[in-house]
Amino acid sequence: MKINITQSAQEYLSTKNIGQRHVFLALDDGSSKFSKLGGSCSIGNKFQLVVADNEDADYTEPVENNAGLQLTTGHDEPTYLGEGLTLDYKMGLLSLRDNSGIIDNAVTVTNFVPQDDGDGKQLKKDMQELGNRIC
């Protein structure tokens, strides 16, 4: 998989303290372990860049890019991505598109902070609350 990261997106990402950290292109629709978002209105059309200090066994698919990022994605994400993948930054938003058009016009950049609430109840609660506000 290959993605073109425009100059404006590269400039924006340079403000996010990524350096040589790992970056995961992850779904943000409740289906990934990095997502708090949930609900049928977001399936397959919400993405995020997750910045982490370590590799992740679930995000090992390399994404070739022109920005020099250590960028990988998971096994499910390519299902929603086509040829001509581009990440751009315009009017204060990161947008992800491919040859078919815009996939997500509000890609977020998130620093991964490991959370272990034991039984997962807090994560489920957070997802429900956020999902109720956006869907």
Side-chain angles (χ1 to χ4, degrees), residues 12 54 64 70 76 81 88 108 128:
Y12 173 74
N54 301 306
E64 183 182 336
Q70 293 184 53
D76 296 330
L81 305 170
D88 197 6
T108 58
Q128 289 172 334

Side-chain angles (χ1 to χ4, degrees), residues 45-62:
N45 71 355
K46 291 292 300 160
F47 282 85
Q48 62 183 324
L49 296 175
V50 179
V51 182
D53 292 328
N54 301 306
E55 295 177 344
D56 188 292
D58 294 329
Y59 289 81
T60 59
E61 300 295 321

Side-chain angles (χ1 to χ4, degrees), residues 20-37:
Q20 291 303 307
R21 298 169 73 200
H22 298 275
V23 182
F24 311 124
L25 177 59
L27 283 162
D28 193 15
D29 61 3
S31 66
S32 88
K33 64 181 166 188
F34 299 118
S35 179
K36 289 187 177 180
L37 193 62

Side-chain angles (χ1 to χ4, degrees), residues 87-119:
L87 185 67
D88 197 6
Y89 183 74
K90 289 183 182 174
M91 300 182 354
L93 296 170
L94 276 176
S95 65
L96 181 66
R97 68 177 184 270
D98 63 17
N99 290 342
S100 68
I102 294 174
I103 299 168
D104 183 354
N105 207 25
V107 176
T108 58
V109 180
T110 307
N111 281 301
F112 175 65
V113 178
Q115 296 179 354
D116 183 13
D117 64 355
D119 57 10

